[in-house]
Amino acid sequence: MTTFDLFRRAGVPAAAVALLSLTACSGSSGATATATATVTVTAPASPAEPSGNTPEASQAPSTSDAPVPAATTPAPRKTEKAGPPITAATPDVFGETFQSDPGHDFTKGLSPSRDGVLRAQLVTMQDENVAEYRPIRFVPEVGGSTNGHFEGPPEGDVMAFAAPLAKGVVFLSAVGCKGDDQTINSRYVGTQRCPRDKLILRADAGDLRALITVQRGQIVKVVEIYAP
């Protein structure tokens, strides 16, 4: 086995240079001849760098895997269910829904409700003749058909009216003209007729709940509901 074979088997590193001394003996003269050979061994090419991302890059979180916040759907706004429309018929004194005025444009300021009888509260007098009023409904409580209280539309609701009091307006009080009596019938509505100026005072105080009759844009009758 030659010296070259020994280097090859030993796995010479890349680009290593081995110097081999070869000795040849002359048969006749016995002189020694020395020959020096330079052998270059080339190592196989290094394996190619792996393609793709580095381990660090592969460990980075993908934006597509990031949690996406769920969309928030706003809760629908609660609206009042439209009650029966105002008509000439007398409504239930203790009705639990607001009467409606279909077609009335509440964006153009306060104006009279349609002709008919409205269960409402007189909240103020705009001047010495014009009364402002809002529809009301009865909220029952445990203990009987008349136990409870009246309430108007919620805050921010624009359902309100204003109309002049007719000169001959009829006012039937549930507490007497002096306000210290109980003048009602079996339906808990007023029976004692009081003058127009008493109606104006009660309306301006804002505590008068009544069945209000409107004809041709004027309030012609106010029948107070007994609501202690």
Side-chain angles (χ1 to χ4, degrees):
M1 179 179 296
T2 67
T3 302
F4 179 77
D5 291 334
L6 291 174
F7 282 135
R8 182 167 58 83
R9 289 191 177 186
V12 180
V17 178
L19 298 178
L20 302 177
S21 297
L22 302 177
T23 304
C25 297
S26 171
S28 59
S29 60
T32 300
T34 301
T36 301
T38 300
V39 179
T40 302
V41 181
T42 304
S46 299
E49 290 293 333
S51 60
N53 298 328
T54 63
E56 292 79 3
S58 62
Q59 293 176 3
S62 171
T63 55
S64 60
D65 296 333
V68 179
T72 302
T73 302
R77 183 178 179 184
K78 184 178 179 180
T79 56
E80 289 290 342
K81 182 179 178 181
I86 301 168
T87 65
T90 301
D92 181 1
V93 174
F94 298 100
E96 297 177 20
T97 59
F98 296 114
Q99 292 168 266
S100 60
D101 191 350
H104 191 97
D105 189 351
F106 292 98
T107 66
K108 294 183 177 181
L110 299 179
S111 58
S113 55
R114 65 168 53 194
D115 285 1
V117 184
L118 174 64
R119 183 180 56 250
Q121 179 177 356
L122 291 158
V123 295
T124 190
M125 292 293 295
Q126 293 187 351
D127 56 34
E128 62 182 6
N129 290 310
V130 179
E132 182 177 333
Y133 55 103
R134 306 188 73 188
I136 57 173
R137 67 179 177 182
F138 186 71
V139 180
E141 297 172 359
V142 178
S145 60
T146 60
N147 287 350
H149 65 277
F150 288 97
E151 68 176 14
E155 184 178 354
D157 193 299
V158 296
M159 191 174 183
F161 307 96
L165 300 176
K167 289 183 177 181
V169 60
V170 174
F171 173 41
L172 300 179
S173 174
V175 292
C177 295
K178 294 182 179 181
D180 58 358
D181 199 356
Q182 188 179 93
T183 52
I184 59 175
N185 60 18
S186 59
R187 297 173 56 239
Y188 292 88
V189 295
T191 58
Q192 184 170 348
R193 183 163 182 170
C194 300
R196 186 177 187 273
D197 61 350
K198 182 61 67 173
L199 172 59
I200 292 173
L201 290 174
R202 292 286 308 280
D204 197 45
D207 64 349
L208 181 57
R209 297 162 183 84
L211 301 176
I212 300 174
T213 302
V214 175
Q215 290 181 359
R216 299 180 181 179
Q218 288 188 328
I219 297 174
V220 296
K221 188 175 184 180
V222 175
V223 181
E224 184 178 7
I225 300 171
Y226 185 70

